Amino acid sequence: MESLNYLIDGFASALSLTNLLYATFGVFVGQIIGVLPGLGPITGLSLLVPLVFGMEPTSALIMLCGVYYGSFFGGAITSILLNTPGDAAAVVTTFDGYPMARQGHAGRALGIAALSSFIGGTISVLGLTLVMPLMSKAALLFGPAEYTMLIVMAFLAVLTLSSTSKTKAVISAVVGLVLATIGQDQISGQPRFTFGVFELYNGFDFALVAIGLFAIGEVLLRVEEIHHEGEQKAAKFSKALVTLEDTKRIAKPTIISSILGFFIGVLPGAGATISAFMSYGLVKAISKNKDEFGKGAPEGVAAPEAANNASVGGAMVPMLALGVPGSGSTAVLLGAMMILGLNPGPLFMTESPGVAWGVIASMYIGNVILLIMNIPMIRLFASVLYLPYSYIALGVVILSFIGAYSLQNSMFDVYLMLGSGLVGYLMKKNDFPLGPLILTLVLGSLLEGNFRKSLLTSDGSYGIFFGSVTAISIWALILVALLTPTLMKRVRTMMPTSR
Amino acid sequence: MRRVDLLWSVVIVVFAAAYLSAASDLPLTTRRGAPGAGVFPLYMGILLAIAGALYLVQAILVVIRKTPDNDSSSGLPSRPAMVLMGYMIGYAIAMQTLGFLIGTFVFGFLVLSTYFRLPYLRSLIVSLGMAVIVHFGFTIGFQVELPVGLIF
């Protein structure tokens, strides 16, 4: 009952004109960013985070969440029209979306993607509303030791589910933790690894690193690709219409994938990509039209789109209730919450219910905005694909410079962002995943603080990490996280062999 | 795993060694016997060194077994990317000296006309339009302070 009251208050806040405008702006920008090849939710969020300084926290988070889920749909547009997913989560959409576009059904595929994204998004926010109160009550059982282990679990899950070399994923994560140690020690105040550089006393701002790694790194990689291979042309566009037969075919797969996507999204490290793959595998396994998968099956577009949008709500559960993001995107959102002066963690829901429920309510509204915007405006979003990459690169570079400079009005930050860009470019070129680095950079200081507090309370005994039911439960979850890749391998065997 | 990984693994091992060396100067305990500022960096340094060593072993095995590269891309920075990086460093310097508006216009014009080889007139119009829209959009719309430059 208390939650319902909070949700009603949340709707009142989200439906204010200012917040509606921020949600619309976020969804719009998110879709544009999602459309741009290579730029996904993390890049979009990283570019906008510096702008939220001084904004009212609820409005800022509503805008950023709009970017987050808006970019997922944008990613589907490039997958369907260009066979180039905007981000990893949209890879599965190419399996059937692009064949549909090549058969002249691009509009139908985009319509199916829009509808299933809306259903997935809405079901996941419903799940978020129901699960959040339970989760935030459970969060009160967490002390520093449990919190330390929870963060370690998030790291492990991200590492085990990484699709590239595990060694490289571990290196990426540890480099993030190493960067997090730069600056003044949070307990003793002693400077660490600053080498007398005053600007480093406050540590590495995650937003700077994120902008560099994701935006500048991507631009460098893309110009290199274009230099070698030339620019790809997008498929011809037709009107976005979903037939009655499509609706009948996608109804069941969409609902199943939405539910699956939400629960996978809750698990740290799993998120949109895994949920898209798993739902595709599941829907294919239970479908009567198995042979059509990989050749342009409407269910093959609906399932991953519903799942990756549903995972957004799921991923918000550990972030809002526990302050532990399960993915790179939610790590950036968590960083934004810190910038806004909020205190993400187990007490967030009780200390700032207005902000939390305002954001949740705005996600219901945002999904409706996304659907309304998509049907008539798909052509506008898709037109971004026909822009020469030179304009896009110029725009991304300028926005990255503004983002880096505006954090502290310092040119030092701009150079630091450029350095991160170079590192991001080299990491991508050498198959080092960037997600673990940004996740550990954001959570590094929290991990260290809780780790040291735990040892302080236990007089240096490591037994504290096994000393409670909650801690043992987290150990069990860690085991589940470690076993998930085996499960994933089984699902991947169900993927279309042509790919 | 490619042969270039050997180079990157050495870079990581050297970085881990340098980090560990710097971390060893930090105290491991406080005066009250609590974990000090050096504990966490020490663990992280050891973890990075182990992961780097594992990466090095994997890269050495690729070289010893003469496994063919399954990826033809070099893994090293390419010329087009490094040239663009040079333009961006120039942009940062221009932003600092000429201010955001003029610096952005100059960078935009140069990068479009000389790097992407677009016609001069189109480069001029796009870079001018983008610089003006972004400058006023951010300073007025978002109240963001942008560099005014040292010269002007």
Side-chain angles (χ1 to χ4, degrees), chain A residues 171-443:
Chain A
I171 290 171
S172 177
V174 182
V175 167
L177 287 168
V178 162
L179 292 179
T181 60
I182 296 173
Q184 275 186 316
D185 173 39
Q186 53 186 313
I187 295 177
S188 65
Q190 182 170 2
R192 297 188 301 191
F193 314 108
T194 52
F195 307 107
V197 180
F198 175 72
E199 283 88 348
L200 288 178
Y201 272 57
N202 283 334
F204 268 52
D205 196 306
F206 90 95
L208 277 184
V209 180
I211 295 171
L213 287 180
F214 293 99
I216 298 292
E218 185 58 40
V219 166
L220 291 172
L221 201 67
R222 190 99 177 110
V223 291
E224 182 183 310
E225 277 170 19
I226 290 171
H227 188 79
H228 294 306
E229 296 158 21
E231 272 193 70
Q232 258 188 299
K233 290 258 186 314
K236 287 255 169 82
F237 186 83
S238 60
K239 221 174 175 182
L241 279 178
V242 182
T243 63
L244 190 65
E245 198 203 329
D246 287 334
T247 320
K248 281 181 192 162
R249 278 183 68 169
I250 66 166
K252 198 172 145 192
T254 302
I255 292 169
I256 292 172
S257 303
S258 303
I259 297 168
L260 185 69
F262 172 77
F263 284 107
I264 293 175
V266 175
L267 299 173
T273 312
I274 307 294
S275 63
F277 271 97
M278 286 192 78
S279 63
Y280 187 90
L282 180 69
V283 165
K284 188 187 170 191
I286 59 170
S287 173
K288 288 174 194 160
N289 312 305
K290 283 189 188 68
D291 296 345
E292 283 182 38
F293 277 75
K295 296 171 193 159
E299 299 95 321
V301 177
E305 280 307 304
N308 69 29
N309 279 276
S311 72
V312 171
M316 299 287 278
V317 173
M319 192 199 78
L320 290 176
L322 305 170
V324 177
S327 65
S329 307
T330 41
V332 178
L333 268 177
L334 188 91
M337 288 167 76
M338 292 171 178
I339 287 177
L340 290 163
L342 298 169
N343 186 19
L347 294 175
F348 175 66
M349 289 297 286
T350 39
E351 281 174 358
S352 314
V355 179
W357 288 99
V359 171
I360 293 171
S362 83
M363 288 174 75
Y364 282 100
I365 299 159
N367 275 299
V368 178
I369 295 173
L370 196 64
L371 185 71
I372 294 171
M373 210 183 253
N374 269 317
I375 301 301
M377 291 176 80
I378 268 181
R379 191 176 287 272
L380 174 73
F381 297 125
S383 67
V384 175
L385 288 176
Y386 301 95
L387 275 177
Y389 190 72
S390 49
Y391 296 172
I392 295 169
L394 181 62
V396 171
V397 170
I398 294 172
L399 286 179
S400 302
F401 272 63
I402 294 175
Y405 179 82
S406 60
L407 281 169
Q408 296 184 82
N409 289 355
S410 153
M411 282 308 290
F412 180 83
D413 287 351
V414 174
Y415 290 107
L416 214 55
M417 180 271 296
L418 280 178
S420 306
L422 187 62
V423 172
Y425 160 71
L426 289 172
M427 284 179 74
K428 281 186 182 183
K429 228 175 133 60
N430 289 283
D431 300 324
F432 282 90
L434 300 179
L437 192 154
I438 209 71
L439 187 75
T440 50
L441 178 62
V442 170
L443 289 180

Side-chain angles (χ1 to χ4, degrees), chain B residues 80-104:
Chain B
M82 287 306 93
V83 171
L84 185 61
M85 194 56 167
Y87 274 91
M88 287 193 276
I89 293 170
Y91 177 34
I93 296 167
M95 208 162 115
Q96 214 168 350
T97 50
L98 303 173
F100 179 81
L101 189 59
I102 298 171
T104 301

Side-chain angles (χ1 to χ4, degrees), chain A residues 23-38:
Chain A
T24 311
F25 176 75
V27 165
F28 182 80
V29 171
Q31 287 192 87
I32 300 273
I33 283 168
V35 167
L36 300 175

Side-chain angles (χ1 to χ4, degrees), chain B residues 1 18 21 29 31 38 46-47 50 53 88 102 111 115 144-145 151:
Chain B
M1 202 58 80
S21 156
T29 50
R31 278 181 205 159
I46 293 170
L47 206 57
I50 294 170
M88 287 193 276
I102 298 171
V111 87
Y115 184 82
V144 171
E145 257 184 65
I151 295 176

